[in-house]
Amino acid sequence: MNTTVNTGLWLLSLALVNAGLAQTRGRSRWYWFLFSLFLGPIATFLIIVWPPLTAPTPVARS
């Protein structure tokens, strides 16, 4: 098989994994999938290093 095809399949697989990982950390699955297609392992590093997004704490009304 061609090296270009192997590299493309590896990057596509990594982008799918990154999309799932991003969703578990509260980020957009689609955005990180596209971002990962271009940056590959760098995107994985960013997903892991950046803190997860958290929902804002609701303010109690008195």
Side-chain angles (χ1 to χ4, degrees):
M1 204 173 222
N2 191 345
T3 304
T4 304
V5 173
N6 287 338
T7 303
L9 290 175
W10 185 83
L11 285 174
L12 182 63
S13 299
L14 182 62
L16 288 171
V17 169
N18 283 346
L21 182 60
Q23 183 180 14
T24 64
R25 301 190 48 95
R27 301 189 182 277
S28 170
R29 175 183 273 194
W30 181 243
Y31 170 77
W32 280 97
F33 172 77
L34 293 175
F35 192 61
S36 295
L37 284 176
F38 296 104
L39 293 181
I42 296 170
T44 306
F45 176 77
L46 292 175
I47 292 169
I48 292 171
V49 171
W50 285 345
L53 296 178
T54 56
T57 307
V59 177
R61 295 183 185 194
S62 51

